[in-house]
């Protein structure tokens, strides 16, 4: 279960409110690279964790920490929106300051729907989507999902850092960037502990290798119609990364035949012509049999 | 640009059609772990690729291959649905075979919407969602996104393999399982070529290390209120995986103060009580000033 | 910021695992009436709270408690899924136990995507959607949103209670039902503290009453073409609930004219006929002027 | 504006309630082929109609009629759900009748969320989506959108008809099937009135033909790598359907060069290797310049 | 069933078209606080209404009225978009007026997709979502859902009113604001008629009180780790709002144990290490048993 | 299966990058009128095609061509984003060039999420949705779906053409506009080959005409309460378009009775008052029986 502290994990200070930057920060809250996603992802992985206890515990720890990051960012959005409205309608343009804000890149829903506060949406107002919460039940697949989340998350945070010169915002973002560094390392530490790439791959490593045709398991298939020679690249020759095969290279070709489906059954209510073999002389047949 | 061959990349054979299995196969077509996602993900990464040409080329190759996998699975769904309907209504139960199919785990839209064919949805009929197509513009982040996609994809394929004893379906799935093995290795080969974990991390490696507070970059923060000692785990001591720091361990504590927001501005149309300081003596003030 | 305890807020015990019931429990996790919604709703309302401090604090408390409820339900789902699979394929039907599970009302993604664990989706596998997280910045509107959430939430919990006779599940649900009772009372207590319905309505009470035409503010408008007499009902006569008007009753009639829009501008690329006045003699004009 | 009548447009009678059929009927309410979509589509097209008044009027008429169809189907769902629950828990299986209903193909949310009533979702519980409401502002494009909606809608209705032998349900569906026949004819009547295919195409017919390269406007491009001869088909030779060109046939070939993008800008925070030209000798450069 | 009148319920006049305001109005059409939602919500509640007839009738009336509100707003959007485009490309900036419109806060789809008309989306272009249509089958829960909808709806309308100084738009919005006043009162009138809060709560009031543990039903649980004293607030002492208990206050503590799940079953294809107990000596076992 | 060529189907050249135009181009990639939709729609129709082989083949051809169009547009987006960022923060406004870009109509995710590349979203950042991929299994319905897609698609392309004066972009768009011309003609050619409107309608033409009540199949129903006379329009008199009936005109009237549903069952946990007949004297009964 969970407890809280009224203080923030790290200081959130906005020196100069900027509604357009508030909109950009939403990506780090409700976007696919954002903190709601990692928070729920680590917690759901923990709650469904089967196997060694230590991973369940660690996921619970870091999922709880991410809650505090959503809180920091939501606070930052609210502070950036202060001053985003004003009671005076612009005399000259006939446009209110809010409409000017929208014209200036603000999310209109920050005013219309939320009264100058953060929402569970991304920087385009697209709502957070639960499908992004990945927990496969396979520990190695989940660790890669987590590395991916922290990698795209840290890329996002550095771009937000670049988008502002507000000292308070840069200070907050540099803290989050540092935490993402730790979390990238942390999930890879689990993979190292599990024996590293050579043991973990192919994921899942519990599926018998004999059940997959080995001739397709380490071959790069080129679909280029110009049939170029193999490039000078790690993935076309030499031992595979998992140490269980040799990379080879081949040009794509079909191993299967042309697919054929049965005609539609009557109760599928396709067009009559689909059932009687098509466009030749069908009208007579149709009229005879149907109407 | 793209070309096609009327043949399949690998044989698709269904020995005994099973509409419930058709529904399960949809997860591998339109689900977050599915082939539409990887196809579009690799192609979008290729089309937006900036930097060395060889990665752009490779992504285009494998994205094109994944198109063929969607085709195989869509064919498999259609074949599993043959026989899912019949013109005879069951005399005894008053239930048509289609309704029986729904009762038996079939997706009703396979009949109602698609006339016994595959759709761009997952195994619960939830449509494919473009947000799953990740391409960050950062090559290492994208490679981890791809490893994750192929890991959860291969886990899914092995579970589908387990869910059927149809020899044709198992043969097709074993081919896809083998290709996922290659693709897991392939994306990790790029990371190896880029210098491996020690060079790639923290992602993005182009953000100056001096811009992140180093004291937060390699510390595991425990949020457990029981303040346990550090566990025996790789991620709490020793050199970090990226070789740029030392793991440490600490108990969570706030580095920031309690957050305070300004009162709502008048044009936000909060309740009057929020503006005048709350629940003490507000009714008088409200009535005086507002109505 | 947030902390955790490895224990659960209340015992979760499943006496007899039931994968179909696991699917039903998902509604209480990722559905619109579920716990992810109320958790995020209360937390976002707290983080964006403007005005008296006590409401910000209280929302933070109860939002944190709801995290523990998601945890309990996710644990309940995982326990109900134990035994949902088996390595033996049924000899007679050619159907694996998992396929039988799907036929029996299980969510196939509980196996295929999550490896027998909870997901951030509803009982049909539709993902949690951030649009459900309502925080308007108006305290009274938000309290009604919260009463609504706890009302539909408690209705859901009683229906889940009715759907199982597992003593462990009924015990857990009765705890959640009791907490929903408290939370319904709690949000209404805020409204009482704010002066009750007569002070709060119309929400927002900070919008000047003089800016709305009073003749439309307390009239029930009947759209019934049979123009029935007013029913014997509270909402057609007597003082309004907010004490600021008298209910009246009238039959619908238009106060506005028929709307007319301008013809489409050329750069909108409507059909030529839309621009030249329509279907009379247009072909000549079109051919002259366009092709 | 709108009025109502408490009666239904056509009788809705359910002789034998069937919760699985209730779920199937949802496709005709909240699915992409369903009545909410056509209702809103025709109304939005009417409300945004620019050009001849008669089309605006007609769209308003039929949009209003479709409201009555949603009502009929929602009533049919509610009637099919009567008897879907019961207070007695099954002594033997330990499963309540509701859980049995789920196992039998019922949508669990019909009980859990709606208390045995219709919802604004499709037959898999996927919510109605406003993106399906198409109104382009181009009358001919909109008429084709409407023909398509009524075509897939009537196909759906015939499949629902086939899925039940309940005389009441078949009677209601036959009425809806007849109305879809009228509506297909109706939208095509508009196209005929507008001069038919030869005048309407290419849509939009107001875009100057000289602005499109004519050599690409009537050529079927075959992407088949086997470069087959042109098939015996209407679309590869002879006059085009719009009478403005001659169909021809050619094998796909690129008219453009290989695309090249610039290297990523520094503030995009790609990996360092993407900026310095890639995998050859990059580690030295990276270490020198960055850390 | 339904009828229409070609006139509007209330005049819609736009004195000075403003495409950015057109975008903001979309929130009141297709947003979660908007008119499509309340229209469908009241109609679906009516169509599924079980119990006293008068509520079914009233919901049908007001649902029908809301249709007219969508119509008014859609008309307002179309009128605000007039003049949003022009055939002349700006000589100096090389930017067309439409692109300038986008830069000025316009929704690009108002031109690109709709040809200067309203769409079924919110102010960020996010489509209307059927999940927002709440009808629980419990009358009191539904009335609170409706109060909430009209509260957030009226807050939205007042903010739109504030965002424009167009006299025509303010006139239309003041009408809608007045109708929302009535509707807030109307739904609360039903609750009063049903006996008020003391009779209605806890919702559902038909669930036996003896089935919920009374010790958890009226206690505010504080999750604050600083264990503060109870605040001076209505919800921590005194009689509960429903009159069925006494509010108390306590600090959060776990009533349940640490949860434990079983190891993953073989056919879940977790990593081998999850099955054999984790990171100690597993590689030997794995290699022996699996490959 | 599929192959590729590294060249583009047609040249993509951007003379003057424009991030706001990049955002608009996204509508043609990931919008409902866009190329991902038609690509997947034609391919899924092909993969599920039942009946004459020639249609399956043709759909595969054109679906493959559409892949190349996504590629062209994605390249155009990336090229329009070049120059959208810069390392220098504006000294005067304290706003970075990226924030200025957002203010100027750019999609912030083009920088934040994609690093200056295309995404699988529309021009508002709303993700591509698989529900748009229509394949009904009925060939005529599918052809109308395809005509509709190419009609709204060509309307979109002409509006994009109008929105730019970049010669490179106009050249690319004119190619796509020409291809849409061909594709509109192509799908209608199939309908002509199938016997034209008179044979195809009503779709599906395989449903027995005797199963629909003919008196409702060709009547325009006017819902106008003013009961106007029939307009001078093609759809109210004369032979129907399908040649199988005569258009007539009538004023809407109910053919069905008022619908009545049963009271809620106890286990639906409606309010007690819904079960005991409503608002008269219920409180006594409720208190006696329930608490």
């Amino acid at each position: 279960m969970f407890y809280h502290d009224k203080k923030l994990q790290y200081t959130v200070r906005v020196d100069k409110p900027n509604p357009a930057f508030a909109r950009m920060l939403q990506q780090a809250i409700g976007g696919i690279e954002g903190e709601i996603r990692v928070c729920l992802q680590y917690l759901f992985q923990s709650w469904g964790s089967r196997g060694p206890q230590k991973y369940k515990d660690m996921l619970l720890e870091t999922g709880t920490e991410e809650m505090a990051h959503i809180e920091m960012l939501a606070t930052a959005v609210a502070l950036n929106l202060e001053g985003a409205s004003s009671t005076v309608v612009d005399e000259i343009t006939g446009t209110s300051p809010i409409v000017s804000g929208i014209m200036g890149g603000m999310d209109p829903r920050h005013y219309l729907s939320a009264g100058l506060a953060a929402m569970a949406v991304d920087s385009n107002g697209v709502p957070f989507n639960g499908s992004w919460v990945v927990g496969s039940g396979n520990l190695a697949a989940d660790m890669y999902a987590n590395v991916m989340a922290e990698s795209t998350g840290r890329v996002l945070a550095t771009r937000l850092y670049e988008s502002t010169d507000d000292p308070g915002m840069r200070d907050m973002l540099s803290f989050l960037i540092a935490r993402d560094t730790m979390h990238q390392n942390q999930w890879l530490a689990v993979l190292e502990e599990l024996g590293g790439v050579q043991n973990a791959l192919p994921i899942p490593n519990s599926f018998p290798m004999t059940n997959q045709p080995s001739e397709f398991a380490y071959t790069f298939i080129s679909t280029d119609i110009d049939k170029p020679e193999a490039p000078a690249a790690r993935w076309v020759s030499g031992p595979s990364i998992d140490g269980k095969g040799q990379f080879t290279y081949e040009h794509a070709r079909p191993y299967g035949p042309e697919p054929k489906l049965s005609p539609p059954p009557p109760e599928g209510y396709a067009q009559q012509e689909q059932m009687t073999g098509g466009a030749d002389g069908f009208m007579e047949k149709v009229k005879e049999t149907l109407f």
Side-chain angles (χ1 to χ4, degrees), chain A:
Chain A
M1 63 175 294
F2 299 87
Y3 304 87
H4 77 277
D5 184 320
K6 288 205 269 180
K7 300 201 187 74
L8 296 171
Q9 192 187 9
Y10 192 80
T11 302
V12 176
R13 195 182 82 240
V14 175
D15 293 81
K16 190 173 158 190
N18 183 338
F21 192 62
R23 176 183 171 196
M24 295 175 81
L25 285 169
Q26 284 287 157
Q27 192 64 29
I29 294 175
I32 192 171
E33 313 91 347
E35 303 283 3
I36 298 179
R37 186 256 188 112
V38 287
C39 171
L40 292 179
Q41 183 159 306
Y42 304 158
L43 291 176
F44 272 85
Q45 286 179 12
S46 176
W47 296 330
S49 178
R50 297 176 185 280
Q53 178 71 22
K54 66 195 293 194
Y55 305 120
K56 181 181 184 73
D57 292 350
M58 178 194 61
L59 286 159
L60 188 58
E61 303 264 21
T62 305
T64 304
E65 182 186 356
E66 301 291 1
M67 286 293 292
H69 297 182
I70 311 175
E71 183 181 46
M72 288 166 61
L73 286 159
T75 302
V77 166
L79 292 171
N80 269 291
L81 289 167
E82 299 196 343
S85 65
S86 145
T87 51
V88 185
V89 173
D90 187 314
E91 295 288 337
I92 299 166
T93 65
T95 301
S96 79
I98 286 290
V99 173
S100 299
I102 309 307
M103 289 179 171
M106 180 184 174
D107 178 346
R109 292 193 65 209
H110 269 154
Y111 172 58
L112 296 178
S113 298
L116 309 178
M119 298 181 293
V121 304
D122 78 4
S123 62
N124 284 321
V126 175
F128 174 79
N129 190 295
S131 66
W132 303 336
V133 177
V134 171
S136 69
N138 179 293
L139 186 57
D142 287 354
M143 289 304 109
Y144 276 120
N146 297 353
V147 173
M148 177 266 209
E150 296 287 346
S151 297
T152 53
R154 193 171 182 272
V155 169
L156 170 62
T158 62
R159 289 171 181 166
L160 288 169
Y161 183 97
E162 187 71 25
S163 301
T164 183
D165 62 351
D166 186 285
M169 284 294 91
R170 286 200 154 186
D171 186 42
M172 176 193 79
L173 287 163
S174 71
F175 175 79
L176 294 174
I177 289 167
R179 296 309 297 149
D180 288 352
T181 298
M182 174 59 195
H183 294 156
Q184 289 178 18
N185 277 273
Q186 177 176 331
W187 311 126
L188 286 166
V190 175
L191 285 163
E192 184 179 308
E193 204 177 73
L194 289 171
V197 164
Q198 297 226 353
N199 183 60
L201 258 63
I203 295 169
N205 66 3
S206 58
F207 186 76
M209 293 295 271
T210 50
N211 282 356
Q212 72 178 3
S214 56
E215 66 272 31
F216 299 119
Y218 297 101
T219 297
F220 184 86
I221 294 178
S222 166
T223 58
D224 193 327
I225 57 161
D226 292 328
K227 304 201 176 188
E229 300 216 344
R234 178 66 185 84
W235 55 85
V236 294
S237 66
S240 66
I241 303 296
D242 64 12
K244 302 190 177 82
Q246 290 287 321
F247 282 133
T248 57
Y249 176 84
E250 71 171 46
H251 296 119
R253 62 193 158 111
Y255 293 99
E258 214 174 310
K260 299 283 177 196
L261 304 184
S262 301
E267 70 276 23
Y269 292 116
Q271 288 296 86
Q272 187 66 21
E273 295 73 26
Q274 294 176 260
M275 300 172 197
T276 56
D280 300 317
F282 64 87
M283 287 191 65
E284 291 67 27
K285 279 184 225 140
V286 170
K287 282 173 184 159
E288 281 165 27
T289 57
L290 199 63
F291 305 114

